[in-house]
PDB file of all heavy atoms in Angstrom:
ATOM      1  N   GLY A 182      73.601  85.164 102.293  1.00 43.00           N
ATOM      2  CA  GLY A 182      73.172  86.553 102.199  1.00 43.00           C
ATOM      3  C   GLY A 182      73.913  87.317 101.130  1.00 43.00           C
ATOM      4  O   GLY A 182      73.532  88.421 100.762  1.00 43.00           O
ATOM      5  N   GLN A 183      74.999  86.721 100.620  1.00 45.00           N
ATOM      6  CA  GLN A 183      75.794  87.409  99.598  1.00 45.00           C
ATOM      7  C   GLN A 183      75.483  86.774  98.249  1.00 45.00           C
ATOM      8  O   GLN A 183      75.361  85.566  98.150  1.00 45.00           O
ATOM      9  CB  GLN A 183      77.280  87.215  99.907  1.00 45.00           C
ATOM     10  CG  GLN A 183      78.186  88.021  99.033  1.00 45.00           C
ATOM     11  CD  GLN A 183      79.642  87.808  99.458  1.00 45.00           C
ATOM     12  OE1 GLN A 183      79.962  86.855 100.126  1.00 45.00           O
ATOM     13  NE2 GLN A 183      80.492  88.714  99.052  1.00 45.00           N
ATOM     14  N   THR A 184      75.321  87.588  97.219  1.00 47.00           N
ATOM     15  CA  THR A 184      74.900  87.028  95.943  1.00 47.00           C
ATOM     16  C   THR A 184      76.033  86.886  94.939  1.00 47.00           C
ATOM     17  O   THR A 184      75.887  86.243  93.940  1.00 47.00           O
ATOM     18  CB  THR A 184      73.787  87.879  95.305  1.00 47.00           C
ATOM     19  OG1 THR A 184      74.227  89.214  95.270  1.00 47.00           O
ATOM     20  CG2 THR A 184      72.503  87.775  96.085  1.00 47.00           C
ATOM     21  N   GLU A 185      77.191  87.485  95.228  1.00 47.00           N
ATOM     22  CA  GLU A 185      78.316  87.364  94.295  1.00 47.00           C
ATOM     23  C   GLU A 185      79.127  86.126  94.623  1.00 47.00           C
ATOM     24  O   GLU A 185      79.416  85.839  95.767  1.00 47.00           O
ATOM     25  CB  GLU A 185      79.223  88.598  94.411  1.00 47.00           C
ATOM     26  CG  GLU A 185      78.588  89.862  93.859  1.00 47.00           C
ATOM     27  CD  GLU A 185      78.226  89.737  92.398  1.00 47.00           C
ATOM     28  OE1 GLU A 185      79.044  89.229  91.620  1.00 47.00           O
ATOM     29  OE2 GLU A 185      77.111  90.141  92.035  1.00 47.00           O
ATOM     30  N   GLN A 186      79.512  85.381  93.627  1.00 54.00           N
ATOM     31  CA  GLN A 186      80.326  84.202  93.855  1.00 54.00           C
ATOM     32  C   GLN A 186      81.305  84.024  92.720  1.00 54.00           C
ATOM     33  O   GLN A 186      80.937  84.066  91.560  1.00 54.00           O
ATOM     34  CB  GLN A 186      79.437  82.963  93.959  1.00 54.00           C
ATOM     35  CG  GLN A 186      80.154  81.673  93.668  1.00 54.00           C
ATOM     36  CD  GLN A 186      80.102  80.720  94.844  1.00 54.00           C
ATOM     37  OE1 GLN A 186      80.165  81.153  95.983  1.00 54.00           O
ATOM     38  NE2 GLN A 186      79.978  79.451  94.567  1.00 54.00           N
ATOM     39  N   THR A 187      82.552  83.802  93.064  1.00 62.00           N
ATOM     40  CA  THR A 187      83.543  83.511  92.040  1.00 62.00           C
ATOM     41  C   THR A 187      83.527  82.010  91.801  1.00 62.00           C
ATOM     42  O   THR A 187      83.352  81.232  92.727  1.00 62.00           O
ATOM     43  CB  THR A 187      84.948  83.933  92.527  1.00 62.00           C
ATOM     44  OG1 THR A 187      84.852  85.252  93.044  1.00 62.00           O
ATOM     45  CG2 THR A 187      85.947  83.892  91.393  1.00 62.00           C
ATOM     46  N   ARG A 188      83.735  81.647  90.564  1.00 78.00           N
ATOM     47  CA  ARG A 188      83.699  80.224  90.222  1.00 78.00           C
ATOM     48  C   ARG A 188      84.773  79.442  90.983  1.00 78.00           C
ATOM     49  O   ARG A 188      85.903  79.892  91.094  1.00 78.00           O
ATOM     50  CB  ARG A 188      83.962  80.102  88.724  1.00 78.00           C
ATOM     51  CG  ARG A 188      83.622  78.763  88.184  1.00 78.00           C
ATOM     52  CD  ARG A 188      84.019  78.667  86.720  1.00 78.00           C
ATOM     53  NE  ARG A 188      83.291  77.605  86.082  1.00 78.00           N
ATOM     54  CZ  ARG A 188      83.438  76.323  86.365  1.00 78.00           C
ATOM     55  NH1 ARG A 188      84.283  75.950  87.295  1.00 78.00           N
ATOM     56  NH2 ARG A 188      82.719  75.414  85.741  1.00 78.00           N
ATOM     57  N   ILE A 189      84.394  78.277  91.521  1.00 85.00           N
ATOM     58  CA  ILE A 189      85.385  77.408  92.160  1.00 85.00           C
ATOM     59  C   ILE A 189      86.197  76.759  91.038  1.00 85.00           C
ATOM     60  O   ILE A 189      85.636  76.221  90.095  1.00 85.00           O
ATOM     61  CB  ILE A 189      84.691  76.345  93.034  1.00 85.00           C
ATOM     62  CG1 ILE A 189      83.923  77.038  94.165  1.00 85.00           C
ATOM     63  CG2 ILE A 189      85.710  75.367  93.600  1.00 85.00           C
ATOM     64  CD1 ILE A 189      83.066  76.120  94.984  1.00 85.00           C
ATOM     65  N   PRO A 190      87.543  76.833  91.127  1.00 90.00           N
ATOM     66  CA  PRO A 190      88.374  76.327  90.031  1.00 90.00           C
ATOM     67  C   PRO A 190      88.102  74.848  89.735  1.00 90.00           C
ATOM     68  O   PRO A 190      87.860  74.054  90.644  1.00 90.00           O
ATOM     69  CB  PRO A 190      89.804  76.525  90.533  1.00 90.00           C
ATOM     70  CG  PRO A 190      89.695  77.549  91.602  1.00 90.00           C
ATOM     71  CD  PRO A 190      88.341  77.405  92.218  1.00 90.00           C
ATOM     72  N   GLU A 191      88.216  74.519  88.451  1.00 93.00           N
ATOM     73  CA  GLU A 191      87.927  73.161  87.984  1.00 93.00           C
ATOM     74  C   GLU A 191      88.827  72.130  88.687  1.00 93.00           C
ATOM     75  O   GLU A 191      88.363  71.036  89.027  1.00 93.00           O
ATOM     76  CB  GLU A 191      88.170  73.111  86.460  1.00 93.00           C
ATOM     77  CG  GLU A 191      87.471  71.983  85.736  1.00 93.00           C
ATOM     78  CD  GLU A 191      85.957  72.026  85.867  1.00 93.00           C
ATOM     79  OE1 GLU A 191      85.373  73.121  85.776  1.00 93.00           O
ATOM     80  OE2 GLU A 191      85.369  70.943  86.096  1.00 93.00           O
ATOM     81  N   ASP A 192      90.096  72.488  88.911  1.00 95.00           N
ATOM     82  CA  ASP A 192      90.981  71.483  89.536  1.00 95.00           C
ATOM     83  C   ASP A 192      90.544  71.196  90.974  1.00 95.00           C
ATOM     84  O   ASP A 192      90.723  70.083  91.466  1.00 95.00           O
ATOM     85  CB  ASP A 192      92.454  71.913  89.441  1.00 95.00           C
ATOM     86  CG  ASP A 192      92.729  73.197  90.182  1.00 95.00           C
ATOM     87  OD1 ASP A 192      91.829  74.042  90.265  1.00 95.00           O
ATOM     88  OD2 ASP A 192      93.853  73.343  90.690  1.00 95.00           O
ATOM     89  N   GLU A 193      89.952  72.163  91.639  1.00 95.00           N
ATOM     90  CA  GLU A 193      89.472  71.900  93.002  1.00 95.00           C
ATOM     91  C   GLU A 193      88.248  70.985  92.969  1.00 95.00           C
ATOM     92  O   GLU A 193      88.078  70.102  93.810  1.00 95.00           O
ATOM     93  CB  GLU A 193      89.140  73.209  93.716  1.00 95.00           C
ATOM     94  CG  GLU A 193      90.372  74.054  93.961  1.00 95.00           C
ATOM     95  CD  GLU A 193      90.217  75.032  95.108  1.00 95.00           C
ATOM     96  OE1 GLU A 193      89.171  75.015  95.785  1.00 95.00           O
ATOM     97  OE2 GLU A 193      91.161  75.814  95.314  1.00 95.00           O
TER      98      GLU A 193
END
Side-chain angles (χ1 to χ4, degrees):
Q183 188 178 19
T184 52
E185 290 301 315
Q186 158 121 324
T187 312
R188 194 185 200 294
I189 297 173
E191 201 60 42
D192 62 329
E193 294 204 4

